[in-house]
Amino acid sequence: MDHLRYSGLSFERQRTAFLDIVSADPLLGETLKRARGLDLPDWLVVSGALYNSVWNHLTGKPSGYGIRDVDLFYFDESDLSYEAEDGVIARAAPAFAGLPLPVEIRNQARVHLWYPLKFGRACPRYTSSSHSLGFFASQTHAVGVRMDNDSQLQLVAPFGLDDIFAFRITPNRVMDNRQTHETKGAQARENWPEITVVPW
């Protein structure tokens, strides 16, 4: 099947294909350029906007299909207050004005403060934006990209890329995130029926 043409290839070949698709996507290319201009510490565009864009490319769907927002992580331990994060969000808003999708910005240094209140269980204190990816409910979703000053894309993919290219959502059992894995898997299959969701 043509949409699986990168499945099973070496990581380097998959990395090249992934970054080629991301850089050619008009939504992602513009978002990454604008994010770079904010100069946030340890920033990454992560998760759905990336792997959904790859699935759109491989199944012939338009840019932005099935994507609700773009997640932008940064990591700043200097001030863990809600107000500091809110200030960053407000400062960034003009930079992303006019994009077809909203950009959701979160400081990964303070996730451990609000996570137990929202989900009823503890969350590790992350040490970087990249570190936080390792705790996503599904390994497939753990991917991030940033653009450097030379417009080169840097990839973070702690579990590799084969799940994405195999259209396979694989659980990450490091935390008790079964419900999130199953819910997001079911939502993804509505937009990309080619997807297989691996049971928890």
Side-chain angles (χ1 to χ4, degrees), residues 26-77:
L27 168 65
L28 290 176
E30 186 62 27
T31 302
L32 286 161
K33 288 176 188 173
R34 296 189 191 192
R36 178 183 60 183
L38 293 171
D39 200 26
L40 296 173
D42 186 21
W43 69 272
L44 285 170
V45 168
V46 303
S47 202
L50 298 172
Y51 60 81
N52 290 164
S53 294
V54 171
W55 291 340
N56 285 340
H57 173 83
L58 293 173
T59 58
K61 293 181 173 64
S63 172
Y65 173 83
I67 304 173
R68 290 181 297 183
D69 56 38
V70 178
D71 293 308
L72 174 59
F73 286 1
Y74 72 100
F75 190 87
D76 185 0
E77 288 186 299

Side-chain angles (χ1 to χ4, degrees), residues 91-142:
R91 178 170 67 85
F96 296 118
L99 286 177
L101 292 174
V103 177
E104 299 287 337
I105 302 173
R106 294 291 178 267
N107 182 5
Q108 296 304 288
R110 63 181 306 273
V111 172
H112 66 284
L113 299 176
W114 56 258
Y115 190 97
L117 302 174
K118 183 174 181 180
F119 294 105
R121 55 185 179 273
C123 169
R125 184 166 184 159
Y126 301 141
T127 58
S128 66
S129 290
S130 298
H131 182 224
S132 70
L133 298 184
F135 295 88
F136 280 15
S138 307
Q139 294 181 6
T140 316
H141 300 164

Side-chain angles (χ1 to χ4, degrees), residues 120-175:
R121 55 185 179 273
C123 169
R125 184 166 184 159
Y126 301 141
T127 58
S128 66
S129 290
S130 298
H131 182 224
S132 70
L133 298 184
F135 295 88
F136 280 15
S138 307
Q139 294 181 6
T140 316
H141 300 164
V143 62
V145 171
R146 68 171 61 92
M147 179 182 283
D148 66 22
N149 290 331
D150 296 322
S151 296
Q152 298 299 304
L153 299 184
Q154 301 172 357
L155 172 71
V156 179
F159 302 105
L161 297 169
D162 197 54
D163 280 330
I164 294 174
F165 285 118
F167 283 71
R168 179 179 59 233
I169 299 180
T170 300
N172 180 21
R173 301 183 184 91
V174 69
M175 291 172 65

Side-chain angles (χ1 to χ4, degrees), residues 74 79-89 110 113-114:
Y74 72 100
D79 187 341
L80 298 184
S81 69
Y82 169 85
E83 290 75 17
E85 182 182 63
D86 205 44
V88 170
I89 293 169
R110 63 181 306 273
L113 299 176
W114 56 258

